Amino acid sequence: MPSNTFDQIVGLFHGSDEPVDLAAERANAATVGALYQAVPGVTDELMAELRAGSYLMTPEEPREDLVIVLMHGGGFRSGNAAMVRPLGAALASGTRARVILPEYRLAPENPYPAAVTDCLDAFDHAATLAPNVVVIGESAGANLAAAVLLQRREQALAGVLLCGVFDLREDRFHTGSWVERADTEHLLKAHLGPQMRIDYLGTRPADDPLVSPVLADLRGLPPLLIQVSSAERLLDDSLNLATAAARAGVHVELDVWPHMFHCWQIAAGFLPEATEAATRLAAFVNRVAEGRFVDGAALSTGPAIP
């Protein structure tokens, strides 16, 4: 059963299904981002090298071989890097890696591919700081992370995709888990899927693999961890992407949690389930960094059979 803290949080989500004004949505996100309290042992500072509002989370005695890029969600139209600082701090503590939280241009003012371009810039900057870069994203940020992995598949060390939207075709928001999980979804309202699709794409086709990664050629992607809640509308996106990745020969790990609300991981340090999720993410990153995964070099040192 979920924790008492979980029950308290979801009690705040229940309200009208009516669309929220975009300005109010962004203001709410800014309020959430401002609630962050510094985590001992991890410093956070604004980054002048990337778009305004980007952060760098640095643990004590950071490792020099690895940097993480963590992309925030918000349906491509709201959200901000400040909101994911709790998760960024947990990952920095758990991996001893620096964590970049890039800000990117939002739709509808800046539709696709503006956000992808900004996230690619963040990856390329991260690659100047360490030889290995892990790409992580939550919700719409997981879509952007997948696009970055597709564009930088030969350079990225690994990808972690949290509660992502991986299929922006119109039918997606009228079938499957988007409608079947209406009674258990705590956060995503029915109108949000079609709205973000319109805002992000405009008149652009949704079958572009950088927009709908479930349609992409996933061969050659680095190891993936996909984490999602079985109670949320976007369940099918993660299940379908995991299946496609597995069929493409990608090392993929799927972590499905019951009960959780969409992107519960960003409440790390406050919500027990989010802290545990972040611990699992850090363990995956550490394993990959050490080569302990399928096809990993660290697994090839055992004795040979005569």
Side-chain angles (χ1 to χ4, degrees):
M1 296 297 293
S3 65
N4 291 334
T5 306
F6 174 87
D7 292 335
Q8 294 172 10
I9 291 177
V10 297
L12 302 175
F13 294 156
H14 297 154
S16 172
D17 286 338
E18 292 299 315
V20 177
D21 175 78
L22 180 56
E25 187 177 323
R26 292 177 177 175
N28 290 339
T31 298
V32 172
L35 295 176
Y36 174 72
Q37 296 184 356
V39 173
V42 179
T43 61
D44 66 289
E45 55 187 327
L46 290 168
M47 292 188 68
E49 298 88 347
L50 299 179
R51 295 190 64 82
S54 301
Y55 283 87
L56 176 66
M57 317 288 291
T58 306
E60 294 179 349
E61 299 182 1
R63 61 198 297 173
E64 298 299 325
D65 64 323
L66 177 68
V67 173
I68 295 170
V69 181
L70 170 58
M71 299 160 192
H72 71 82
F76 306 103
R77 52 188 247 132
S78 66
N80 55 69
M83 291 180 61
V84 292
R85 282 182 291 175
L87 178 56
L91 291 168
S93 295
T95 64
R96 293 190 304 104
R98 288 166 289 178
V99 181
I100 294 173
L101 313 179
E103 198 53 270
Y104 53 83
R105 286 168 289 175
L106 298 176
E109 300 94 328
N110 300 285
Y112 173 80
V116 174
T117 299
D118 294 340
C119 290
L120 285 169
D121 288 344
F123 179 96
D124 292 341
H125 177 71
T128 69
L129 303 179
N132 298 306
V133 180
V134 172
V135 180
I136 302 179
E138 54 94 10
S139 192
N143 178 292
L144 298 172
V148 170
L149 290 168
L150 289 167
Q151 295 284 80
R152 299 289 187 270
R153 70 182 79 198
E154 294 182 359
Q155 295 107 304
L157 180 70
V160 178
L161 307 175
L162 310 174
C163 306
V165 51
F166 303 124
D167 188 347
L168 283 175
R169 291 174 293 179
E170 183 176 2
D171 288 350
R172 171 68 186 94
F173 303 108
H174 303 285
T175 59
S177 61
W178 189 264
V179 293
E180 293 167 358
R181 293 298 188 268
D183 293 338
T184 56
E185 171 66 67
H186 297 288
L187 194 58
L188 297 177
K189 307 303 181 184
H191 67 271
L192 289 176
Q195 187 62 61
M196 71 175 174
R197 178 182 181 277
I198 292 171
D199 287 348
Y200 185 51
L201 294 183
T203 59
R204 293 169 175 81
D207 58 359
D208 182 334
L210 295 182
V211 167
S212 296
V214 293
L215 304 177
D217 180 356
L218 304 179
R219 290 174 296 178
L221 284 185
L224 298 178
L225 170 60
I226 299 174
Q227 195 175 71
V228 68
S229 169
S230 61
E232 65 171 298
R233 292 182 186 271
L234 287 171
L235 171 63
D236 283 356
D237 289 62
S238 289
L239 297 181
N240 293 339
L241 186 68
T243 298
R247 291 185 178 278
V250 177
H251 175 110
V252 57
E253 301 180 18
L254 178 64
D255 190 19
V256 181
W257 289 54
H259 309 300
M260 292 299 102
F261 55 84
H262 176 63
C263 292
W264 78 96
Q265 302 93 338
I266 68 172
F270 177 73
L271 175 67
E273 292 91 341
T275 302
E276 170 62 22
T279 299
R280 296 190 191 190
L281 306 184
F284 172 79
V285 172
N286 288 332
R287 263 193 305 116
V288 175
E290 295 165 8
R292 295 186 292 113
F293 62 96
V294 175
D295 294 332
L299 301 181
S300 63
T301 57
I305 297 176

